[in-house]
Amino acid sequence: MVQRKKDNVREAILAAAFELFTQKGYSETTVPAIARMAGFSTANVYVYFESKIQILFSLYTPWLEKRLDKLDGSLRRISDPRLRLNKLLMVLWRDLPKENNGFAHNIVEAVSSSSGQNDYDPRLRDYFVGRVAEWLQGCTAMSDQGCRHAATVMVMAFDGFAANVGRKHGVACSGEMVELFSDLLLRRPAGSGFST
């Protein structure tokens, strides 16, 4: 007999998982703990999700998309390219990594601890890089390819800042870091992918 999936069960599982991921982190959260908090059996969780990483991506994808859409609205209101770039960098490297008790740290932890075989789908990373590249096109004189390369570096730096949230000796983004990177992107250094 095929079990019919119910939206309220799926949502309860996701709500429990989000709470546990934000409190304990990805590694310390187990599927049985998610099931207990949601009020269901572990087997029932697996009816809705194949794995813990799938649960996390089901949460993280809309979480990130919502924040990138909000950032897009903020950036559209800033006419000065340098100020827009600074805002982009501060949100990506300082604000987003800290949001929801460092929720973004979970995705870094999950991907870095995965086997790398079949449990990681790069579409979200590609989407993230694409959005950042579009914003860079409006702030810099770089070519499309240069923007894509810089966006990839910026997203990888986001992962690093997210991984450091809450760490005793972690590194947090500073205004000086943002200014330095903005200078690098706006000064047209040799070989940077700027169009001539």
Side-chain angles (χ1 to χ4, degrees):
M1 182 166 104
V2 176
Q3 187 170 2
R4 187 177 119 102
K5 294 182 181 179
K6 299 173 186 161
D7 288 341
N8 63 329
V9 173
R10 184 178 190 283
E11 292 308 313
I13 292 167
L14 289 173
F18 185 80
E19 187 171 332
L20 288 169
F21 289 143
T22 56
Q23 288 175 4
K24 296 181 163 200
Y26 182 79
S27 295
E28 298 299 317
T29 298
T30 63
V31 173
I34 293 168
R36 268 191 310 280
M37 182 173 269
F40 302 106
S41 69
T42 301
N44 204 9
V45 171
Y46 284 113
V47 168
Y48 291 83
F49 301 96
E50 292 177 14
S51 63
K52 182 171 72 166
I53 199 167
Q54 185 186 35
I55 295 170
L56 179 61
F57 271 100
S58 295
L59 289 165
Y60 189 73
T61 299
W63 182 89
L64 181 63
E65 288 172 347
K66 179 180 176 184
R67 279 145 186 84
L68 295 181
D69 288 344
K70 182 179 174 186
L71 174 57
D72 185 63
S74 294
L75 294 174
R76 288 180 187 277
R77 291 189 294 273
I78 303 170
S79 60
D80 180 83
R82 182 178 187 85
L83 295 177
R84 196 174 332 121
L85 181 57
N86 287 351
K87 173 74 171 182
L88 171 60
L89 291 167
M90 286 304 272
V91 170
L92 286 185
W93 292 351
R94 185 195 64 193
D95 301 343
L96 277 181
K98 290 195 281 187
E99 252 190 75
N100 294 110
N101 198 32
F103 181 63
H105 179 268
N106 287 283
I107 205 75
V108 175
E109 195 176 344
V111 170
S112 66
S113 66
S114 74
S115 66
Q117 299 302 313
N118 299 318
D119 55 357
Y120 175 65
D121 183 345
R123 286 181 291 185
L124 182 61
R125 182 199 62 226
D126 293 341
Y127 166 78
F128 193 2
V129 168
R131 292 289 300 266
V132 174
E134 287 174 22
W135 292 321
L136 285 176
Q137 289 168 348
C139 298
T140 70
M142 287 189 288
S143 67
D144 291 349
Q145 184 178 9
C147 287
R148 185 90 185 163
H149 290 318
T152 300
V153 170
M154 290 166 65
V155 169
M156 294 300 106
F158 164 82
D159 290 345
F161 287 119
N164 276 273
V165 169
R167 301 237 181 247
K168 184 176 180 181
H169 300 290
V171 176
C173 178
S174 68
E176 291 81 13
M177 290 176 191
V178 164
E179 290 293 329
L180 174 65
F181 204 73
S182 290
D183 285 345
L184 292 172
L185 292 175
L186 295 172
R187 282 193 180 152
R188 303 179 187 212
S192 65
F194 288 93
S195 57
T196 54

